[in-house]
Amino acid sequence: MRVVIAEDLALLRDGLIRLLGAFGFEVVEAVDNGPSLLRALTTHRPDVAVVDVRLPPTFTDEGLRAALEARKEIPGLPVLVLSQHVEQLYARELLSDSTGGIGYLLKDRVSDVRVFVDSVRRVADGGTALDPDVVSQLLTRHAREEPLQRLTPREREVLGLMAEGRSNAAIAGQLFVTEKAISKHTNSIFGKLGLPPSEDDNRRVLAVLAYLGA
């Protein structure tokens, strides 16, 4: 599995290269700035990109903007953001793109190496990996949007856990209820968010995107 890394801190960048290499990934390039990231992504077309938000030259949002620009040229390019910051505007734009795997993890909350590696694999496979704090910050700003008003507190809790990438069985275990009860909640959520059954669309992903983007 081929990876491009964008991280401006040399020690962390080298650590990510060694870590992912130890778990069987091939790091095809590791860069430290936004323009180099865009070039690396469009040149290598990796299986997944691990990207910091704030990169040189301005240390604002170069990483996210480069990832979004690359996804215009390579639709569905899997991107896992690994950052200390939640950049609201571009994060929402990235997460609202339903093609390809997406993830957003906070550096200081990654405490288990294997969980992190599993998140990289999940995003590369087209799934999602979202830190609960990222979800919370994105939702706080939009808590009064109409689609979310239709959900009960328990349904919002279930959808928040769905946004973390958890299965119905895992959510049931977290909330100490039956898997059947969670299935009823998810069906109710899909209905309230206007997501009818479809053979083409992943309703769990669409529900999470609606939850984040309203």
Side-chain angles (χ1 to χ4, degrees), residues 2-213:
R2 300 164 65 252
V3 186
V4 165
I5 294 172
E7 169 58 56
D8 66 294
L9 296 178
L11 287 177
L12 181 53
R13 185 171 63 252
D14 186 66
L16 286 171
I17 293 171
R18 294 172 183 271
L19 171 64
L20 293 176
F23 280 87
F25 294 86
E26 178 190 359
V27 179
V28 293
E29 190 168 353
V31 302
D32 64 359
N33 63 81
S36 294
L37 172 58
L38 179 58
R39 176 196 52 75
L41 293 177
T42 55
T43 299
H44 295 292
R45 296 176 177 254
D47 297 302
V48 61
V50 179
V51 177
D52 192 3
V53 171
R54 298 184 178 181
L55 296 173
T58 66
F59 293 97
T60 53
D61 50 24
E62 285 88 346
L64 267 177
R65 287 193 286 111
L68 286 166
E69 190 66 27
R71 281 172 69 100
K72 292 178 182 178
E73 183 172 334
I74 312 169
L77 173 68
V79 175
L80 172 61
V81 177
L82 180 63
S83 180
Q84 292 178 320
H85 313 279
V86 179
E87 207 297 323
Q88 291 270 355
L89 177 61
Y90 290 108
R92 288 172 58 81
E93 184 176 347
L94 175 66
L95 296 172
S96 68
D97 183 353
S98 60
T99 60
I102 50 174
Y104 205 127
L105 303 179
L106 298 178
K107 292 177 180 177
D108 59 359
R109 286 173 53 84
V110 176
S111 58
D112 189 315
V113 166
R114 291 189 178 274
V115 171
F116 170 71
V117 172
D118 286 344
S119 296
V120 177
R121 294 190 192 280
R122 189 187 316 151
V123 171
D125 290 337
T128 58
L130 301 176
D131 186 285
D133 274 10
V134 174
V135 175
S136 177
Q137 289 188 48
L138 291 173
L139 287 175
T140 298
R141 188 176 172 184
H142 299 273
R144 296 184 179 180
E145 291 289 347
E146 176 62 25
L148 300 183
Q149 287 185 338
R150 303 171 189 163
L151 304 183
T152 67
R154 175 61 97 181
E155 287 168 350
R156 288 175 63 89
E157 188 175 14
V158 168
L159 189 48
L161 292 170
M162 285 171 57
E164 296 175 26
R166 304 196 189 192
S167 65
N168 281 5
I171 296 173
Q174 174 78 18
L175 300 181
F176 302 103
V177 297
T178 65
E179 191 171 347
K180 183 177 180 181
I182 297 301
S183 180
K184 289 182 178 179
H185 284 310
T186 57
N187 286 332
S188 176
I189 290 167
F190 296 151
K192 291 179 179 179
L193 294 181
L195 299 172
S198 169
E199 295 181 357
D200 299 325
D201 298 325
N202 185 325
R203 290 197 294 168
R204 293 179 76 87
V205 172
L206 293 176
V208 169
L209 293 173
Y211 188 48
L212 295 175

